[in-house]
Short mmCIF file of all heavy atoms in Angstrom, two decimals:
data_model
loop_
_atom_site.label_atom_id
_atom_site.label_comp_id
_atom_site.label_asym_id
_atom_site.label_seq_id
_atom_site.Cartn_x
_atom_site.Cartn_y
_atom_site.Cartn_z
N ASP A 897 -9.03 15.18 -17.47
CA ASP A 897 -8.49 16.56 -17.44
C ASP A 897 -9.65 17.50 -17.12
O ASP A 897 -10.60 17.63 -17.98
CB ASP A 897 -7.91 16.99 -18.77
CG ASP A 897 -7.45 18.49 -18.68
OD1 ASP A 897 -7.74 19.22 -17.87
OD2 ASP A 897 -6.76 18.90 -19.80
N GLY A 898 -9.92 17.95 -15.82
CA GLY A 898 -10.95 18.67 -15.41
C GLY A 898 -11.41 19.88 -16.21
O GLY A 898 -12.48 20.27 -16.47
N ALA A 899 -10.29 20.44 -16.80
CA ALA A 899 -10.51 21.70 -17.67
C ALA A 899 -11.39 21.39 -18.99
O ALA A 899 -12.01 22.33 -19.45
CB ALA A 899 -9.19 22.41 -17.89
N THR A 900 -11.15 20.22 -19.38
CA THR A 900 -11.77 19.86 -20.73
C THR A 900 -12.72 18.71 -20.57
O THR A 900 -13.41 18.38 -21.73
CB THR A 900 -10.60 19.49 -21.81
OG1 THR A 900 -9.84 18.30 -21.25
CG2 THR A 900 -9.69 20.65 -22.03
N ALA A 901 -12.88 18.00 -19.51
CA ALA A 901 -13.62 16.79 -19.40
C ALA A 901 -15.08 17.18 -19.35
O ALA A 901 -15.56 18.16 -18.96
CB ALA A 901 -13.35 16.07 -18.05
N THR A 902 -15.94 16.10 -19.83
CA THR A 902 -17.35 16.13 -19.74
C THR A 902 -17.74 15.69 -18.29
O THR A 902 -16.99 15.07 -17.56
CB THR A 902 -18.04 15.32 -20.72
OG1 THR A 902 -17.78 13.99 -20.40
CG2 THR A 902 -17.67 15.72 -22.01
N MET A 903 -19.11 16.05 -17.83
CA MET A 903 -19.46 15.53 -16.63
C MET A 903 -19.39 13.93 -16.68
O MET A 903 -18.94 13.36 -15.45
CB MET A 903 -20.93 15.97 -16.31
CG MET A 903 -21.47 15.30 -15.04
SD MET A 903 -20.75 15.91 -13.62
CE MET A 903 -21.47 17.34 -13.26
N GLU A 904 -19.66 13.24 -17.65
CA GLU A 904 -19.60 11.84 -17.71
C GLU A 904 -18.15 11.29 -17.43
O GLU A 904 -17.97 10.35 -16.82
CB GLU A 904 -20.13 11.32 -19.03
CG GLU A 904 -21.51 11.45 -19.25
CD GLU A 904 -22.06 12.79 -19.68
OE1 GLU A 904 -21.14 13.61 -20.09
OE2 GLU A 904 -23.22 13.27 -19.47
N GLN A 905 -17.25 12.04 -18.00
CA GLN A 905 -15.75 11.68 -17.85
C GLN A 905 -15.30 11.94 -16.32
O GLN A 905 -14.60 11.13 -15.87
CB GLN A 905 -14.90 12.54 -18.81
CG GLN A 905 -15.08 12.12 -20.26
CD GLN A 905 -14.50 13.12 -21.17
OE1 GLN A 905 -14.29 14.29 -21.04
NE2 GLN A 905 -13.87 12.50 -22.30
N MET A 906 -15.82 12.87 -15.77
CA MET A 906 -15.46 13.29 -14.46
C MET A 906 -16.09 12.19 -13.51
O MET A 906 -15.51 11.64 -12.64
CB MET A 906 -15.94 14.73 -13.95
CG MET A 906 -15.27 15.80 -14.63
SD MET A 906 -13.51 15.79 -14.41
CE MET A 906 -13.37 16.14 -12.54
N LEU A 907 -17.39 11.83 -13.79
CA LEU A 907 -17.98 10.83 -13.02
C LEU A 907 -17.22 9.49 -13.12
O LEU A 907 -17.01 8.69 -12.14
CB LEU A 907 -19.50 10.67 -13.43
CG LEU A 907 -20.38 11.83 -13.00
CD1 LEU A 907 -21.77 11.59 -13.52
CD2 LEU A 907 -20.43 11.95 -11.42
N ALA A 908 -16.84 9.20 -14.34
CA ALA A 908 -16.02 7.90 -14.52
C ALA A 908 -14.74 8.00 -13.79
O ALA A 908 -14.18 7.03 -13.39
CB ALA A 908 -15.80 7.73 -16.09
N GLY A 909 -14.11 9.29 -13.77
CA GLY A 909 -12.81 9.46 -13.13
C GLY A 909 -13.06 9.17 -11.53
O GLY A 909 -12.23 8.46 -11.00
N GLN A 910 -14.19 9.59 -11.10
CA GLN A 910 -14.57 9.43 -9.72
C GLN A 910 -14.75 7.86 -9.49
O GLN A 910 -14.18 7.38 -8.43
CB GLN A 910 -15.87 10.25 -9.28
CG GLN A 910 -16.21 10.08 -7.89
CD GLN A 910 -17.55 10.80 -7.64
OE1 GLN A 910 -18.46 10.71 -8.40
NE2 GLN A 910 -17.63 11.35 -6.44
N LYS A 911 -15.38 7.31 -10.34
CA LYS A 911 -15.64 5.81 -10.09
C LYS A 911 -14.22 5.16 -10.07
O LYS A 911 -13.98 4.21 -9.34
CB LYS A 911 -16.44 5.31 -11.20
CG LYS A 911 -16.82 3.81 -11.10
CD LYS A 911 -17.77 3.47 -12.28
CE LYS A 911 -18.16 2.02 -12.14
NZ LYS A 911 -19.05 1.52 -13.15
N SER A 912 -13.25 5.47 -11.00
CA SER A 912 -11.94 4.83 -11.01
C SER A 912 -11.19 5.08 -9.82
O SER A 912 -10.48 4.30 -9.25
CB SER A 912 -11.19 5.27 -12.35
OG SER A 912 -10.86 6.55 -12.27
N VAL A 913 -11.33 6.37 -9.19
CA VAL A 913 -10.64 6.69 -7.99
C VAL A 913 -11.09 5.85 -6.88
O VAL A 913 -10.40 5.16 -6.01
CB VAL A 913 -10.79 8.13 -7.64
CG1 VAL A 913 -10.24 8.55 -6.19
CG2 VAL A 913 -9.97 8.93 -8.64
N LYS A 914 -12.42 5.60 -6.79
CA LYS A 914 -13.06 4.78 -5.72
C LYS A 914 -12.69 3.48 -5.81
O LYS A 914 -12.41 2.67 -4.88
CB LYS A 914 -14.58 4.95 -5.73
CG LYS A 914 -15.03 6.36 -5.23
CD LYS A 914 -16.66 6.43 -5.21
CE LYS A 914 -17.02 7.76 -4.65
NZ LYS A 914 -18.47 7.94 -4.42
N ALA A 915 -12.66 2.96 -7.11
CA ALA A 915 -12.28 1.48 -7.26
C ALA A 915 -10.75 1.41 -6.93
O ALA A 915 -10.42 0.28 -6.28
CB ALA A 915 -12.37 1.07 -8.68
N PHE A 916 -9.91 2.31 -7.15
CA PHE A 916 -8.55 2.27 -6.73
C PHE A 916 -8.41 2.22 -5.18
O PHE A 916 -7.74 1.53 -4.57
CB PHE A 916 -7.66 3.39 -7.26
CG PHE A 916 -6.36 3.60 -6.66
CD1 PHE A 916 -5.34 2.85 -7.27
CD2 PHE A 916 -6.03 4.35 -5.56
CE1 PHE A 916 -4.00 2.73 -6.60
CE2 PHE A 916 -4.78 4.35 -5.07
CZ PHE A 916 -3.80 3.64 -5.60
N GLN A 917 -9.20 3.10 -4.58
CA GLN A 917 -9.08 3.24 -3.06
C GLN A 917 -9.52 1.84 -2.48
O GLN A 917 -8.95 1.29 -1.63
CB GLN A 917 -10.06 4.23 -2.61
CG GLN A 917 -9.55 5.62 -2.87
CD GLN A 917 -10.53 6.77 -2.58
OE1 GLN A 917 -11.71 6.67 -2.69
NE2 GLN A 917 -9.90 7.84 -2.04
N ALA A 918 -10.47 1.21 -3.02
CA ALA A 918 -10.91 -0.10 -2.53
C ALA A 918 -9.76 -1.23 -2.72
O ALA A 918 -9.48 -1.99 -1.92
CB ALA A 918 -12.36 -0.59 -3.23
N ALA A 919 -9.33 -1.22 -4.02
CA ALA A 919 -8.22 -2.19 -4.21
C ALA A 919 -6.94 -1.84 -3.39
O ALA A 919 -6.32 -2.75 -2.94
CB ALA A 919 -7.80 -2.10 -5.81
N ASN A 920 -6.73 -0.55 -3.18
CA ASN A 920 -5.63 -0.21 -2.40
C ASN A 920 -5.78 -0.67 -0.88
O ASN A 920 -4.83 -1.02 -0.21
CB ASN A 920 -5.29 1.24 -2.42
CG ASN A 920 -3.92 1.71 -2.11
OD1 ASN A 920 -2.89 1.03 -2.48
ND2 ASN A 920 -3.79 2.67 -1.28
N LEU A 921 -7.01 -0.46 -0.42
CA LEU A 921 -7.32 -0.94 1.03
C LEU A 921 -6.96 -2.37 1.10
O LEU A 921 -6.44 -2.91 2.03
CB LEU A 921 -8.70 -0.69 1.30
CG LEU A 921 -9.14 -1.04 2.70
CD1 LEU A 921 -8.32 -0.37 3.79
CD2 LEU A 921 -10.61 -0.77 2.86
N GLU A 922 -7.37 -3.37 0.03
CA GLU A 922 -7.16 -4.68 0.12
C GLU A 922 -5.62 -4.89 0.03
O GLU A 922 -5.18 -5.80 0.75
CB GLU A 922 -7.82 -5.36 -1.08
CG GLU A 922 -9.32 -5.47 -0.90
CD GLU A 922 -9.84 -6.10 0.34
OE1 GLU A 922 -9.32 -7.30 0.71
OE2 GLU A 922 -10.61 -5.52 1.02
N TYR A 923 -4.92 -4.06 -0.72
CA TYR A 923 -3.46 -4.25 -0.86
C TYR A 923 -2.79 -4.09 0.57
O TYR A 923 -1.93 -4.92 0.96
CB TYR A 923 -2.90 -3.44 -1.87
CG TYR A 923 -1.40 -3.32 -1.89
CD1 TYR A 923 -0.58 -4.36 -2.24
CD2 TYR A 923 -0.86 -2.08 -1.63
CE1 TYR A 923 0.66 -4.27 -2.26
CE2 TYR A 923 0.56 -1.92 -1.67
CZ TYR A 923 1.37 -3.03 -2.01
OH TYR A 923 2.67 -2.89 -2.11
N MET A 924 -3.29 -3.05 1.15
CA MET A 924 -2.62 -2.65 2.56
C MET A 924 -3.08 -3.93 3.42
O MET A 924 -2.15 -4.13 4.28
CB MET A 924 -3.13 -1.36 3.01
CG MET A 924 -2.55 -0.13 2.15
SD MET A 924 -2.87 1.55 2.82
CE MET A 924 -4.61 1.64 2.47
N LYS A 925 -4.24 -4.27 3.46
CA LYS A 925 -4.69 -5.44 4.31
C LYS A 925 -3.76 -6.61 4.07
O LYS A 925 -3.36 -7.32 5.05
CB LYS A 925 -6.09 -5.80 4.13
CG LYS A 925 -7.09 -4.78 4.82
CD LYS A 925 -8.51 -5.21 4.58
CE LYS A 925 -9.49 -4.13 5.13
NZ LYS A 925 -10.68 -4.66 4.86
N CYS A 926 -3.44 -6.79 2.79
CA CYS A 926 -2.62 -7.89 2.49
C CYS A 926 -1.14 -7.83 3.11
O CYS A 926 -0.54 -8.73 3.48
CB CYS A 926 -2.46 -8.08 1.01
SG CYS A 926 -1.43 -9.51 0.35
N LEU A 927 -0.68 -6.57 3.03
CA LEU A 927 0.75 -6.32 3.70
C LEU A 927 0.80 -6.51 5.04
O LEU A 927 1.98 -6.76 5.67
CB LEU A 927 1.12 -4.94 3.22
CG LEU A 927 1.42 -4.59 1.70
CD1 LEU A 927 1.58 -3.14 1.47
CD2 LEU A 927 2.61 -5.44 1.14
#
Side-chain angles (χ1 to χ4, degrees):
D897 178 352
T900 60
T902 64
M903 176 61 84
E904 292 78 21
Q905 289 170 324
M906 292 302 293
L907 291 173
Q910 180 184 38
K911 185 177 179 180
S912 68
V913 168
K914 288 182 178 185
F916 172 82
Q917 289 172 324
N920 200 46
L921 181 60
E922 290 303 312
Y923 170 65
M924 291 186 295
K925 285 180 183 177
C926 179
L927 292 173

